[in-house]
Amino acid sequence: MKSSILEIEENRQIAPGVYRAVLRGEGAGLHRPGQFINIALDGFYLRRPISVYDADPESDSLSIIYKVVGRGTGALADIRPGAGLDCLLGLGNGFDLSAAGSFNAVIGGGVGVPPMYFTAKCLANAGKKVCAVIGFNKKNEIICREDFESLGIETLVCTGDGSYGIRGFVTDGL
């Protein structure tokens, strides 16, 4: 665990109530897939745990995707680029990708999709074949699909209302 002040380079809405933030600073790029950060926000006693969406050691940056579900994440959505965030980095054990076989499926729904992207990216970079099955309630909530596809990963999208892809849950896409 490392404490660091990360500068917000980007913090923008990507779907209704869902935001993507790019943070840069010492140690930001040194995450493993499945890890998370804890963000301290002014005026709030508890830190907000957010999964790492992507990390880049070369630029010492990381990306997070989060959904506004209360006052804390609402305050996070209002922070503009250039501001610094007090973060605890490198939390959680992450995923052991050495145990991955030659074909892997990453599965997630809603805000559980973002940490699967970093996992899929690392697996693909290691020469593993990856399939992503991602689920959302409806079409306008879909996030990350293009990112998975840009890695050459077969991506199946499920929506609860059937407005896009397979109607149902991610288990229906398996």
Side-chain angles (χ1 to χ4, degrees):
M1 175 178 69
K2 174 181 174 56
S3 179
S4 188
I5 302 297
L6 302 182
E7 180 181 341
I8 295 181
E9 287 194 343
E10 174 184 303
N11 192 20
R12 66 181 176 86
Q13 188 169 0
I14 60 170
V18 179
Y19 291 76
R20 178 178 186 256
V22 178
L23 311 174
R24 185 178 309 278
E26 185 181 339
L30 301 176
H31 284 80
R32 292 177 35 175
Q35 287 188 309
F36 65 97
I37 65 173
N38 262 338
I39 302 171
L41 297 166
D42 290 339
F44 294 89
Y45 180 72
L46 297 175
R47 290 176 175 267
R48 297 314 189 262
I50 310 282
S51 296
V52 174
Y53 170 65
D54 198 5
D56 182 5
E58 290 184 26
S59 65
D60 223 2
S61 67
L62 65 83
S63 300
I64 57 173
I65 293 179
Y66 61 95
K67 185 173 185 172
V68 174
V69 294
R71 291 184 322 112
T73 47
L76 181 58
D78 290 337
I79 299 175
R80 298 291 152 233
L85 285 180
D86 177 359
C87 299
L88 295 177
L89 306 174
L91 301 174
N93 292 324
F95 302 130
D96 179 6
L97 301 184
S98 68
S102 59
F103 179 79
N104 302 272
V106 294
I107 303 165
V111 291
V113 171
M116 295 299 101
Y117 170 76
F118 191 26
T119 304
K121 179 180 170 184
C122 290
L123 287 167
N125 288 343
K128 309 285 186 177
K129 183 165 174 49
V130 183
C131 172
V133 183
I134 56 178
F136 305 91
N137 291 319
K138 49 191 169 187
K139 182 179 181 177
N140 73 336
E141 296 177 1
I142 296 171
I143 57 172
C144 308
R145 179 182 54 84
E146 295 90 356
D147 299 331
F148 282 106
E149 291 172 346
S150 73
L151 296 173
I153 293 173
E154 178 185 2
T155 306
L156 302 173
V157 179
C158 304
T159 53
D161 68 358
S163 57
Y164 187 91
I166 299 166
R167 181 185 188 103
F169 300 110
V170 290
T171 52
D172 295 307
L174 295 175

